[in-house]
Structures are given as structure tokens and as C-alpha cells.
Amino acid sequence: AQKITQTQPGMFVQEKEAVTLDCTYDTSDPSYGLFWYKQPSSGEMIFLIYQGSYDQQNATEGRYSLNFQKARKSANLVISASQLGDSAMYFCAILNSNSGYALNFGKGTSLLVTP
Amino acid sequence: NAGVTQTPKFRVLKTGQSMTLLCAQDMNHEYMYWYRQDPGMGLRLIHYSVGEGTTAKGEVPDGYNVSRLKKQNFLLGLESAAPSQTSVYFCASSYSPYLGADNEQFFGPGTRLTVL
């Protein structure tokens, strides 16, 4: 079974600084995919970034990048140059090949960006 | 192109009442999912469908039923609502079952359900 652990319930960062949100995972699948989603206070789920287990490079999307360490089973999200609009819940998730490729989510990290 | 839509957005039920949540997608996706989100928790899978006419149980299926009679629609039913089913319900869909960013799940806006 796949499992995602996000150990930081809440994080603070000052505007324009970088922040790292932690995610560790456990899976028995030889190949797997990891996602990060953002959920602002309005409630919608916004896809941020994807990392495949066999991707040669760590994923990047604009100000978002993944620090993917396969041996450590970690996929930490790095947000550079934080903006006030980055304040939200952030969820790490792994594809579950046993459930129609649904997502197994962590409990999330609440990020607050301060001026 | 509306993406994934959910009806209704809010609902209050009394214990024992029934209701159906409707999810519709216009992206021709094969895979559809129902999740619930409770305070302090991530999303948990209730049921899913890998194509028209198919459904399967997820992590927390008790008290719910689903149907996928048309490819674009995925219905979630509560036959006899209980206070423990108070939650925010999200529907999602995806195009590809294979690993890759193409398997991004597109989420609906959510339905906030309160059972008194």
C-alpha cells in the first residue's frame, strides 16, 4: 500500500523568501508518480507539479521545484520567491496503482506567507 | 470547456435523508473519482470508475453508492445520511491511467455537505 507523510502541519515564510515543504512516501510499486496540489482558502484543488520515479531530472514548474530523493523516499516541494498568494494548504500525493490510479494524499501543510 | 463540475455546491441534510451528488466532466476522461475531505485530513478515496459502466470501492466506501451510466457523469449517492458523512466532497477525473503528468487529476470545486 502507498502512504504519504507530511510532517509539517504549518509553515511560515516571509514574502520573497524560499520555502521547502516536506513529503515522504512509502510504496511497493517499482514505478510510481508523485503530485503536489495547492488548496487555497477558496477550496479548489490546483495541480502544481508532477514527478515520476524514473524521471531523469527533478521536476520544475515556474517557481515550483521538487527536491526528489528516491533513495530517501522523499519528494519535497520548493517554492522560490514566495508571494502572498502562495498562502494555502499544500498536499503531496502518490498514484495508487491498486485503485484505478487514484491519488493517496498526505494530510497537508498549511503555508502562510507574511509581508 | 467547463472542466469538472459538481452539483450542488452546498447541501444540508437531516440524518436518514438521501441525496445524490452529480459530477460531470467534458474532457472525455475515462477515469473518475470521488473523494471526501475532512478537517485536518487529506482527501480520501470513496469510489472510482475506470470507464463507463464500471465502478469500484476506494478506501472509505461505506454508506455510499455510485453509478457511471454515461462516460461524462459520475454520481455519488447517500442512501441514509449520517452525521459522520458531513464533509467536503470532491470529484476528479483523469485521462490516462499511466504514469506521467498526463495523469493529472482535474478536480471539481467541491460540495460541502452537512448532515444534522
Side-chain angles (χ1 to χ4, degrees):
Chain A
Q2 287 93 343
K3 184 180 178 182
I4 291 284
T5 303
Q6 294 181 257
T7 57
Q8 307 153 312
M11 292 280 287
F12 292 89
V13 66
Q14 244 180 339
E15 205 175 1
K16 300 178 186 175
E17 297 289 311
V19 62
T20 298
L21 306 183
D22 294 341
C23 172
T24 57
Y25 59 90
D26 192 17
T27 180
S28 56
D29 287 349
S31 301
Y32 48 89
L34 296 154
F35 290 81
W36 277 90
Y37 279 83
K38 171 184 178 180
Q39 187 179 43
S41 58
S42 50
E44 69 268 32
M45 297 292 289
I46 302 168
F47 166 70
L48 293 179
I49 196 165
Y50 168 82
Q51 178 76 51
S53 59
Y54 281 97
D55 289 345
Q56 294 294 319
Q57 295 185 323
N58 287 352
T60 61
E61 282 289 345
R63 293 186 299 110
Y64 304 107
S65 61
L66 266 179
N67 182 1
F68 180 52
Q69 299 187 43
K70 195 172 178 179
R72 292 188 170 188
K73 293 191 174 181
S74 72
N76 300 337
L77 177 70
V78 180
I79 305 175
S80 62
S82 296
Q83 302 172 356
L84 295 178
D86 293 334
S87 294
M89 283 291 292
Y90 289 81
F91 292 97
C92 181
I94 189 169
L95 281 170
N96 185 345
S97 59
N98 296 321
S99 295
Y101 290 88
L103 292 171
N104 280 7
F105 285 86
K107 293 186 177 182
T109 295
S110 176
L111 177 67
L112 181 63
V113 181
T114 60
Chain B
N1 196 351
V4 180
T5 58
Q6 292 182 231
T7 310
K9 289 186 170 50
F10 302 92
R11 186 73 186 267
V12 178
L13 290 178
K14 294 182 180 178
T15 297
Q17 287 185 318
S18 64
M19 77 163 294
T20 300
L21 282 67
L22 170 64
C23 175
Q25 52 93 5
D26 61 2
M27 296 173 282
N28 202 33
H29 286 171
E30 291 289 343
Y31 291 68
M32 296 188 75
Y33 311 88
W34 276 108
Y35 297 90
R36 61 176 286 172
Q37 184 179 27
D38 300 302
M41 303 284 288
L43 281 66
R44 292 183 293 168
L45 182 67
I46 305 171
H47 285 279
Y48 64 97
S49 168
V50 300
E52 181 178 313
T54 76
T55 63
K57 294 180 180 179
E59 179 187 356
V60 288
D62 293 342
Y64 306 96
N65 56 75
V66 288
S67 64
R68 184 106 180 262
L69 298 179
K70 292 183 179 181
K71 185 177 183 178
Q72 63 267 35
N73 295 338
F74 195 27
L75 277 63
L76 178 71
L78 286 72
E79 292 182 344
S80 180
S84 61
Q85 294 177 304
T86 294
S87 190
V88 179
Y89 292 86
F90 286 96
C91 176
S93 71
S94 67
Y95 170 71
S96 167
Y98 303 111
L99 296 180
D102 286 347
N103 205 10
E104 171 194 348
Q105 288 191 15
F106 294 82
F107 283 82
T111 295
R112 187 172 296 274
L113 175 66
T114 302
V115 183
L116 303 175

